[in-house]
Structure formats: C-alpha cells, structure tokens
PDB file of all heavy atoms in Angstrom:
ATOM      1  N   LYS E   1      -9.378 -15.179   7.406  1.00 96.00           N
ATOM      2  CA  LYS E   1      -8.707 -15.839   6.372  1.00 96.00           C
ATOM      3  C   LYS E   1      -9.259 -15.395   5.031  1.00 96.00           C
ATOM      4  O   LYS E   1     -10.380 -15.427   4.735  1.00 96.00           O
ATOM      5  CB  LYS E   1      -8.932 -17.449   6.531  1.00 96.00           C
ATOM      6  CG  LYS E   1      -8.240 -18.147   5.351  1.00 96.00           C
ATOM      7  CD  LYS E   1      -8.647 -19.662   5.383  1.00 96.00           C
ATOM      8  CE  LYS E   1      -8.052 -20.312   4.231  1.00 96.00           C
ATOM      9  NZ  LYS E   1      -8.585 -21.831   4.196  1.00 96.00           N
ATOM     10  N   ILE E   2      -8.312 -14.853   4.223  1.00 95.00           N
ATOM     11  CA  ILE E   2      -8.624 -14.213   2.937  1.00 95.00           C
ATOM     12  C   ILE E   2      -8.061 -14.943   1.814  1.00 95.00           C
ATOM     13  O   ILE E   2      -6.842 -15.169   1.805  1.00 95.00           O
ATOM     14  CB  ILE E   2      -8.251 -12.657   2.994  1.00 95.00           C
ATOM     15  CG1 ILE E   2      -8.741 -11.881   4.086  1.00 95.00           C
ATOM     16  CG2 ILE E   2      -8.692 -12.017   1.576  1.00 95.00           C
ATOM     17  CD1 ILE E   2      -8.101 -10.642   4.339  1.00 95.00           C
ATOM     18  N   ASN E   3      -8.873 -15.342   0.912  1.00 93.00           N
ATOM     19  CA  ASN E   3      -8.356 -15.961  -0.408  1.00 93.00           C
ATOM     20  C   ASN E   3      -8.581 -15.034  -1.492  1.00 93.00           C
ATOM     21  O   ASN E   3      -9.743 -14.827  -1.891  1.00 93.00           O
ATOM     22  CB  ASN E   3      -8.981 -17.308  -0.664  1.00 93.00           C
ATOM     23  CG  ASN E   3      -8.272 -18.166  -1.713  1.00 93.00           C
ATOM     24  OD1 ASN E   3      -8.009 -17.564  -2.741  1.00 93.00           O
ATOM     25  ND2 ASN E   3      -8.029 -19.372  -1.487  1.00 93.00           N
ATOM     26  N   SER E   4      -7.564 -14.358  -2.023  1.00 90.00           N
ATOM     27  CA  SER E   4      -7.810 -13.245  -3.063  1.00 90.00           C
ATOM     28  C   SER E   4      -6.545 -12.955  -3.737  1.00 90.00           C
ATOM     29  O   SER E   4      -5.392 -13.098  -3.213  1.00 90.00           O
ATOM     30  CB  SER E   4      -8.417 -11.978  -2.296  1.00 90.00           C
ATOM     31  OG  SER E   4      -8.408 -10.851  -3.172  1.00 90.00           O
ATOM     32  N   SER E   5      -6.640 -12.496  -4.971  1.00 84.00           N
ATOM     33  CA  SER E   5      -5.441 -12.004  -5.630  1.00 84.00           C
ATOM     34  C   SER E   5      -4.862 -10.713  -5.029  1.00 84.00           C
ATOM     35  O   SER E   5      -3.734 -10.451  -5.239  1.00 84.00           O
ATOM     36  CB  SER E   5      -5.885 -11.657  -7.142  1.00 84.00           C
ATOM     37  OG  SER E   5      -6.862 -10.676  -7.094  1.00 84.00           O
ATOM     38  N   SER E   6      -5.720 -10.029  -4.205  1.00 86.00           N
ATOM     39  CA  SER E   6      -5.229  -8.935  -3.461  1.00 86.00           C
ATOM     40  C   SER E   6      -4.120  -9.243  -2.465  1.00 86.00           C
ATOM     41  O   SER E   6      -3.365  -8.357  -2.010  1.00 86.00           O
ATOM     42  CB  SER E   6      -6.415  -8.130  -2.799  1.00 86.00           C
ATOM     43  OG  SER E   6      -7.361  -7.686  -3.723  1.00 86.00           O
ATOM     44  N   VAL E   7      -4.102 -10.523  -1.992  1.00 90.00           N
ATOM     45  CA  VAL E   7      -2.970 -11.001  -1.065  1.00 90.00           C
ATOM     46  C   VAL E   7      -1.672 -10.640  -1.599  1.00 90.00           C
ATOM     47  O   VAL E   7      -0.757 -10.445  -0.859  1.00 90.00           O
ATOM     48  CB  VAL E   7      -3.377 -12.410  -0.616  1.00 90.00           C
ATOM     49  CG1 VAL E   7      -2.199 -12.973   0.222  1.00 90.00           C
ATOM     50  CG2 VAL E   7      -4.596 -12.453   0.112  1.00 90.00           C
ATOM     51  N   ALA E   8      -1.588 -10.752  -2.920  1.00 88.00           N
ATOM     52  CA  ALA E   8      -0.190 -10.627  -3.482  1.00 88.00           C
ATOM     53  C   ALA E   8       0.306  -9.207  -3.223  1.00 88.00           C
ATOM     54  O   ALA E   8       1.499  -9.022  -3.060  1.00 88.00           O
ATOM     55  CB  ALA E   8      -0.342 -10.808  -5.051  1.00 88.00           C
ATOM     56  N   ARG E   9      -0.522  -8.258  -2.973  1.00 87.00           N
ATOM     57  CA  ARG E   9      -0.185  -6.911  -2.674  1.00 87.00           C
ATOM     58  C   ARG E   9       0.401  -6.890  -1.256  1.00 87.00           C
ATOM     59  O   ARG E   9       1.326  -6.022  -0.976  1.00 87.00           O
ATOM     60  CB  ARG E   9      -1.279  -5.949  -2.851  1.00 87.00           C
ATOM     61  CG  ARG E   9      -1.889  -5.855  -4.150  1.00 87.00           C
ATOM     62  CD  ARG E   9      -0.905  -5.417  -5.294  1.00 87.00           C
ATOM     63  NE  ARG E   9      -0.419  -4.092  -5.011  1.00 87.00           N
ATOM     64  CZ  ARG E   9      -1.027  -2.956  -5.362  1.00 87.00           C
ATOM     65  NH1 ARG E   9      -2.210  -3.038  -5.979  1.00 87.00           N
ATOM     66  NH2 ARG E   9      -0.486  -1.796  -5.128  1.00 87.00           N
ATOM     67  N   LEU E  10      -0.057  -7.681  -0.423  1.00 90.00           N
ATOM     68  CA  LEU E  10       0.414  -7.837   0.996  1.00 90.00           C
ATOM     69  C   LEU E  10       1.853  -8.317   0.966  1.00 90.00           C
ATOM     70  O   LEU E  10       2.755  -7.842   1.769  1.00 90.00           O
ATOM     71  CB  LEU E  10      -0.565  -8.741   1.742  1.00 90.00           C
ATOM     72  CG  LEU E  10      -0.405  -8.857   3.256  1.00 90.00           C
ATOM     73  CD1 LEU E  10      -0.527  -7.451   3.951  1.00 90.00           C
ATOM     74  CD2 LEU E  10      -1.368  -9.762   3.883  1.00 90.00           C
ATOM     75  N   VAL E  11       2.113  -9.362   0.183  1.00 89.00           N
ATOM     76  CA  VAL E  11       3.432  -9.903   0.053  1.00 89.00           C
ATOM     77  C   VAL E  11       4.381  -8.877  -0.529  1.00 89.00           C
ATOM     78  O   VAL E  11       5.535  -8.688  -0.033  1.00 89.00           O
ATOM     79  CB  VAL E  11       3.395 -11.248  -0.812  1.00 89.00           C
ATOM     80  CG1 VAL E  11       4.869 -11.664  -1.011  1.00 89.00           C
ATOM     81  CG2 VAL E  11       2.528 -12.291  -0.202  1.00 89.00           C
ATOM     82  N   GLU E  12       3.942  -8.138  -1.464  1.00 88.00           N
ATOM     83  CA  GLU E  12       4.686  -7.136  -2.102  1.00 88.00           C
ATOM     84  C   GLU E  12       5.086  -6.104  -1.044  1.00 88.00           C
ATOM     85  O   GLU E  12       6.287  -5.555  -1.041  1.00 88.00           O
ATOM     86  CB  GLU E  12       3.916  -6.513  -3.208  1.00 88.00           C
ATOM     87  CG  GLU E  12       4.707  -5.321  -3.950  1.00 88.00           C
ATOM     88  CD  GLU E  12       3.921  -4.579  -4.987  1.00 88.00           C
ATOM     89  OE1 GLU E  12       2.908  -5.143  -5.369  1.00 88.00           O
ATOM     90  OE2 GLU E  12       4.302  -3.472  -5.379  1.00 88.00           O
ATOM     91  N   PHE E  13       4.145  -5.707  -0.187  1.00 89.00           N
ATOM     92  CA  PHE E  13       4.512  -4.736   0.866  1.00 89.00           C
ATOM     93  C   PHE E  13       5.567  -5.246   1.662  1.00 89.00           C
ATOM     94  O   PHE E  13       6.599  -4.388   1.998  1.00 89.00           O
ATOM     95  CB  PHE E  13       3.242  -4.521   1.717  1.00 89.00           C
ATOM     96  CG  PHE E  13       3.465  -3.702   2.893  1.00 89.00           C
ATOM     97  CD1 PHE E  13       3.779  -2.362   2.810  1.00 89.00           C
ATOM     98  CD2 PHE E  13       3.413  -4.267   4.159  1.00 89.00           C
ATOM     99  CE1 PHE E  13       4.006  -1.552   3.990  1.00 89.00           C
ATOM    100  CE2 PHE E  13       3.655  -3.602   5.336  1.00 89.00           C
ATOM    101  CZ  PHE E  13       3.973  -2.236   5.219  1.00 89.00           C
ATOM    102  N   PHE E  14       5.568  -6.390   2.133  1.00 89.00           N
ATOM    103  CA  PHE E  14       6.657  -6.911   3.121  1.00 89.00           C
ATOM    104  C   PHE E  14       7.922  -7.096   2.319  1.00 89.00           C
ATOM    105  O   PHE E  14       8.978  -6.923   2.898  1.00 89.00           O
ATOM    106  CB  PHE E  14       6.248  -8.172   3.829  1.00 89.00           C
ATOM    107  CG  PHE E  14       5.314  -7.942   5.002  1.00 89.00           C
ATOM    108  CD1 PHE E  14       3.943  -8.022   4.856  1.00 89.00           C
ATOM    109  CD2 PHE E  14       5.880  -7.454   6.168  1.00 89.00           C
ATOM    110  CE1 PHE E  14       3.135  -7.761   5.980  1.00 89.00           C
ATOM    111  CE2 PHE E  14       5.020  -7.159   7.199  1.00 89.00           C
ATOM    112  CZ  PHE E  14       3.668  -7.317   7.106  1.00 89.00           C
ATOM    113  N   ASN E  15       7.935  -7.478   1.053  1.00 87.00           N
ATOM    114  CA  ASN E  15       9.112  -7.571   0.253  1.00 87.00           C
ATOM    115  C   ASN E  15       9.684  -6.236   0.053  1.00 87.00           C
ATOM    116  O   ASN E  15      10.955  -6.084   0.149  1.00 87.00           O
ATOM    117  CB  ASN E  15       8.798  -8.183  -1.139  1.00 87.00           C
ATOM    118  CG  ASN E  15       8.527  -9.691  -1.044  1.00 87.00           C
ATOM    119  OD1 ASN E  15       9.018 -10.362  -0.126  1.00 87.00           O
ATOM    120  ND2 ASN E  15       7.903 -10.346  -2.008  1.00 87.00           N
ATOM    121  N   SER E  16       8.899  -5.239  -0.092  1.00 85.00           N
ATOM    122  CA  SER E  16       9.451  -3.799  -0.233  1.00 85.00           C
ATOM    123  C   SER E  16      10.125  -3.401   1.063  1.00 85.00           C
ATOM    124  O   SER E  16      11.043  -2.615   1.001  1.00 85.00           O
ATOM    125  CB  SER E  16       8.315  -2.892  -0.652  1.00 85.00           C
ATOM    126  OG  SER E  16       7.459  -2.628   0.400  1.00 85.00           O
ATOM    127  N   LEU E  17       9.628  -3.832   2.246  1.00 85.00           N
ATOM    128  CA  LEU E  17      10.215  -3.438   3.569  1.00 85.00           C
ATOM    129  C   LEU E  17      11.547  -4.133   3.558  1.00 85.00           C
ATOM    130  O   LEU E  17      12.498  -3.578   4.122  1.00 85.00           O
ATOM    131  CB  LEU E  17       9.361  -3.881   4.657  1.00 85.00           C
ATOM    132  CG  LEU E  17       7.970  -3.166   4.841  1.00 85.00           C
ATOM    133  CD1 LEU E  17       7.304  -3.648   6.131  1.00 85.00           C
ATOM    134  CD2 LEU E  17       8.235  -1.707   4.929  1.00 85.00           C
ATOM    135  N   ILE E  18      11.698  -5.367   3.058  1.00 84.00           N
ATOM    136  CA  ILE E  18      12.963  -6.116   3.138  1.00 84.00           C
ATOM    137  C   ILE E  18      13.952  -5.332   2.171  1.00 84.00           C
ATOM    138  O   ILE E  18      15.120  -5.078   2.547  1.00 84.00           O
ATOM    139  CB  ILE E  18      12.791  -7.503   2.674  1.00 84.00           C
ATOM    140  CG1 ILE E  18      11.991  -8.304   3.740  1.00 84.00           C
ATOM    141  CG2 ILE E  18      14.154  -8.192   2.448  1.00 84.00           C
ATOM    142  CD1 ILE E  18      11.552  -9.679   3.343  1.00 84.00           C
ATOM    143  N   VAL E  19      13.484  -5.020   0.979  1.00 80.00           N
ATOM    144  CA  VAL E  19      14.431  -4.409  -0.006  1.00 80.00           C
ATOM    145  C   VAL E  19      14.908  -3.079   0.622  1.00 80.00           C
ATOM    146  O   VAL E  19      16.055  -2.662   0.487  1.00 80.00           O
ATOM    147  CB  VAL E  19      13.716  -4.092  -1.293  1.00 80.00           C
ATOM    148  CG1 VAL E  19      14.536  -3.152  -2.205  1.00 80.00           C
ATOM    149  CG2 VAL E  19      13.441  -5.444  -2.026  1.00 80.00           C
ATOM    150  N   ALA E  20      13.933  -2.253   1.297  1.00 80.00           N
ATOM    151  CA  ALA E  20      14.358  -0.998   1.913  1.00 80.00           C
ATOM    152  C   ALA E  20      15.065  -1.100   3.167  1.00 80.00           C
ATOM    153  O   ALA E  20      15.358  -0.164   3.839  1.00 80.00           O
ATOM    154  CB  ALA E  20      13.125  -0.124   2.035  1.00 80.00           C
ATOM    155  N   ARG E  21      15.216  -2.320   3.727  1.00 79.00           N
ATOM    156  CA  ARG E  21      15.850  -2.626   5.027  1.00 79.00           C
ATOM    157  C   ARG E  21      15.067  -2.101   6.196  1.00 79.00           C
ATOM    158  O   ARG E  21      15.608  -1.711   7.296  1.00 79.00           O
ATOM    159  CB  ARG E  21      17.323  -2.158   5.074  1.00 79.00           C
ATOM    160  CG  ARG E  21      18.269  -2.877   4.022  1.00 79.00           C
ATOM    161  CD  ARG E  21      19.542  -2.324   3.990  1.00 79.00           C
ATOM    162  NE  ARG E  21      20.409  -3.027   3.077  1.00 79.00           N
ATOM    163  CZ  ARG E  21      21.449  -3.816   3.434  1.00 79.00           C
ATOM    164  NH1 ARG E  21      21.726  -3.974   4.703  1.00 79.00           N
ATOM    165  NH2 ARG E  21      22.148  -4.421   2.437  1.00 79.00           N
ATOM    166  N   GLN E  22      13.833  -1.910   5.985  1.00 81.00           N
ATOM    167  CA  GLN E  22      12.911  -1.370   7.084  1.00 81.00           C
ATOM    168  C   GLN E  22      12.581  -2.528   8.133  1.00 81.00           C
ATOM    169  O   GLN E  22      12.230  -2.133   9.272  1.00 81.00           O
ATOM    170  CB  GLN E  22      11.661  -0.842   6.494  1.00 81.00           C
ATOM    171  CG  GLN E  22      11.835   0.396   5.670  1.00 81.00           C
ATOM    172  CD  GLN E  22      12.528   1.565   6.457  1.00 81.00           C
ATOM    173  OE1 GLN E  22      12.043   1.984   7.472  1.00 81.00           O
ATOM    174  NE2 GLN E  22      13.733   2.019   6.024  1.00 81.00           N
ATOM    175  N   VAL E  23      12.756  -3.743   7.850  1.00 80.00           N
ATOM    176  CA  VAL E  23      12.470  -4.863   8.745  1.00 80.00           C
ATOM    177  C   VAL E  23      13.728  -5.520   9.107  1.00 80.00           C
ATOM    178  O   VAL E  23      13.779  -6.726   9.574  1.00 80.00           O
ATOM    179  CB  VAL E  23      11.415  -5.790   8.170  1.00 80.00           C
ATOM    180  CG1 VAL E  23      10.084  -5.068   8.075  1.00 80.00           C
ATOM    181  CG2 VAL E  23      11.828  -6.395   6.902  1.00 80.00           C
ATOM    182  N   THR E  24      14.908  -5.010   8.693  1.00 72.00           N
ATOM    183  CA  THR E  24      16.158  -5.697   9.101  1.00 72.00           C
ATOM    184  C   THR E  24      17.092  -4.792   9.797  1.00 72.00           C
ATOM    185  O   THR E  24      17.915  -5.350  10.559  1.00 72.00           O
ATOM    186  CB  THR E  24      16.883  -6.175   7.821  1.00 72.00           C
ATOM    187  OG1 THR E  24      17.230  -5.044   7.001  1.00 72.00           O
ATOM    188  CG2 THR E  24      15.976  -7.121   6.927  1.00 72.00           C
ATOM    189  N   GLN E  25      17.088  -3.529   9.570  1.00 44.00           N
ATOM    190  CA  GLN E  25      17.999  -2.576  10.204  1.00 44.00           C
ATOM    191  C   GLN E  25      19.427  -3.038   9.979  1.00 44.00           C
ATOM    192  O   GLN E  25      20.230  -2.955  10.900  1.00 44.00           O
ATOM    193  CB  GLN E  25      17.636  -2.419  11.651  1.00 44.00           C
ATOM    194  CG  GLN E  25      16.299  -1.836  11.994  1.00 44.00           C
ATOM    195  CD  GLN E  25      16.170  -0.448  11.463  1.00 44.00           C
ATOM    196  OE1 GLN E  25      16.975   0.461  11.768  1.00 44.00           O
ATOM    197  NE2 GLN E  25      15.193  -0.168  10.709  1.00 44.00           N
ATOM    198  N   GLY E  26      19.635  -3.694   8.878  1.00 41.00           N
ATOM    199  CA  GLY E  26      20.986  -4.173   8.505  1.00 41.00           C
ATOM    200  C   GLY E  26      21.340  -5.542   9.090  1.00 41.00           C
ATOM    201  O   GLY E  26      22.333  -6.080   8.881  1.00 41.00           O
ATOM    202  N   LEU E  27      20.365  -6.133   9.859  1.00 43.00           N
ATOM    203  CA  LEU E  27      20.666  -7.483  10.539  1.00 43.00           C
ATOM    204  C   LEU E  27      19.731  -8.555   9.823  1.00 43.00           C
ATOM    205  O   LEU E  27      18.565  -8.380   9.788  1.00 43.00           O
ATOM    206  CB  LEU E  27      20.333  -7.358  12.011  1.00 43.00           C
ATOM    207  CG  LEU E  27      20.465  -8.689  12.764  1.00 43.00           C
ATOM    208  CD1 LEU E  27      21.998  -9.188  12.713  1.00 43.00           C
ATOM    209  CD2 LEU E  27      19.972  -8.619  14.182  1.00 43.00           C
ATOM    210  N   ARG E  28      20.414  -9.564   9.331  1.00 45.00           N
ATOM    211  CA  ARG E  28      19.711 -10.626   8.762  1.00 45.00           C
ATOM    212  C   ARG E  28      20.086 -11.865   9.505  1.00 45.00           C
ATOM    213  O   ARG E  28      21.217 -12.132   9.758  1.00 45.00           O
ATOM    214  CB  ARG E  28      19.951 -10.840   7.248  1.00 45.00           C
ATOM    215  CG  ARG E  28      19.269 -12.054   6.738  1.00 45.00           C
ATOM    216  CD  ARG E  28      19.453 -12.117   5.230  1.00 45.00           C
ATOM    217  NE  ARG E  28      18.927 -13.336   4.663  1.00 45.00           N
ATOM    218  CZ  ARG E  28      19.010 -13.682   3.382  1.00 45.00           C
ATOM    219  NH1 ARG E  28      19.438 -12.925   2.486  1.00 45.00           N
ATOM    220  NH2 ARG E  28      18.495 -14.876   2.953  1.00 45.00           N
ATOM    221  N   ILE E  29      19.142 -12.673   9.974  1.00 50.00           N
ATOM    222  CA  ILE E  29      19.322 -13.843  10.747  1.00 50.00           C
ATOM    223  C   ILE E  29      19.047 -15.127  10.098  1.00 50.00           C
ATOM    224  O   ILE E  29      17.898 -15.243   9.621  1.00 50.00           O
ATOM    225  CB  ILE E  29      18.558 -13.769  12.134  1.00 50.00           C
ATOM    226  CG1 ILE E  29      18.925 -12.406  12.823  1.00 50.00           C
ATOM    227  CG2 ILE E  29      18.935 -14.894  13.042  1.00 50.00           C
ATOM    228  CD1 ILE E  29      17.849 -11.954  13.706  1.00 50.00           C
ATOM    229  N   THR E  30      19.966 -16.056  10.003  1.00 52.00           N
ATOM    230  CA  THR E  30      19.645 -17.318   9.276  1.00 52.00           C
ATOM    231  C   THR E  30      19.762 -18.458  10.382  1.00 52.00           C
ATOM    232  O   THR E  30      20.690 -18.569  11.126  1.00 52.00           O
ATOM    233  CB  THR E  30      20.664 -17.579   8.210  1.00 52.00           C
ATOM    234  OG1 THR E  30      20.528 -16.561   7.248  1.00 52.00           O
ATOM    235  CG2 THR E  30      20.359 -18.968   7.499  1.00 52.00           C
ATOM    236  N   ILE E  31      18.759 -19.279  10.384  1.00 50.00           N
ATOM    237  CA  ILE E  31      18.801 -20.485  11.313  1.00 50.00           C
ATOM    238  C   ILE E  31      19.093 -21.636  10.433  1.00 50.00           C
ATOM    239  O   ILE E  31      18.372 -21.988   9.520  1.00 50.00           O
ATOM    240  CB  ILE E  31      17.415 -20.695  12.027  1.00 50.00           C
ATOM    241  CG1 ILE E  31      17.070 -19.380  12.789  1.00 50.00           C
ATOM    242  CG2 ILE E  31      17.394 -21.852  12.873  1.00 50.00           C
ATOM    243  CD1 ILE E  31      15.625 -19.413  13.302  1.00 50.00           C
ATOM    244  N   ALA E  32      20.162 -22.336  10.720  1.00 44.00           N
ATOM    245  CA  ALA E  32      20.560 -23.446   9.929  1.00 44.00           C
ATOM    246  C   ALA E  32      20.331 -24.730  10.687  1.00 44.00           C
ATOM    247  O   ALA E  32      19.865 -24.755  11.815  1.00 44.00           O
ATOM    248  CB  ALA E  32      22.084 -23.366   9.603  1.00 44.00           C
ATOM    249  N   LYS E  33      20.641 -25.877  10.027  1.00 36.00           N
ATOM    250  CA  LYS E  33      20.337 -27.227  10.681  1.00 36.00           C
ATOM    251  C   LYS E  33      21.125 -27.402  11.910  1.00 36.00           C
ATOM    252  O   LYS E  33      22.157 -26.822  12.176  1.00 36.00           O
ATOM    253  CB  LYS E  33      20.640 -28.297   9.546  1.00 36.00           C
ATOM    254  CG  LYS E  33      22.170 -28.363   9.156  1.00 36.00           C
ATOM    255  CD  LYS E  33      22.233 -29.384   8.100  1.00 36.00           C
ATOM    256  CE  LYS E  33      23.719 -29.511   7.600  1.00 36.00           C
ATOM    257  NZ  LYS E  33      23.851 -30.502   6.574  1.00 36.00           N
TER     258      LYS E  33
END
C-alpha cells in the first residue's frame, strides 16, 4: 500500500490507456441499476 503523490502517475497511465483504447478495444461496458 503506497501513499504518495507518485500514485497520480499510475492513474494517468491507465487514463492514457483508455484514451488510446488500449484497454477497451472499442468495447465499453456499463453496468446499470
């Protein structure tokens, strides 16, 4: 468990994968109520 300002870079990494569609392959799934 890490508490650090560096964690923000980890979030940025996954956000960049989403923007580049590297973690969606064009598919986005929404779970509703």
Side-chain angles (χ1 to χ4, degrees):
K1 176 188 174 186
I2 306 165
N3 192 315
S4 170
S5 58
S6 298
V7 171
R9 303 298 299 278
L10 189 59
V11 177
E12 180 186 344
F13 169 71
F14 281 98
N15 284 338
S16 69
L17 293 183
I18 292 173
V19 171
R21 297 176 180 249
Q22 293 300 301
V23 294
T24 63
Q25 297 295 307
L27 178 65
R28 178 176 173 179
I29 306 156
T30 301
I31 302 171
K33 61 184 179 179

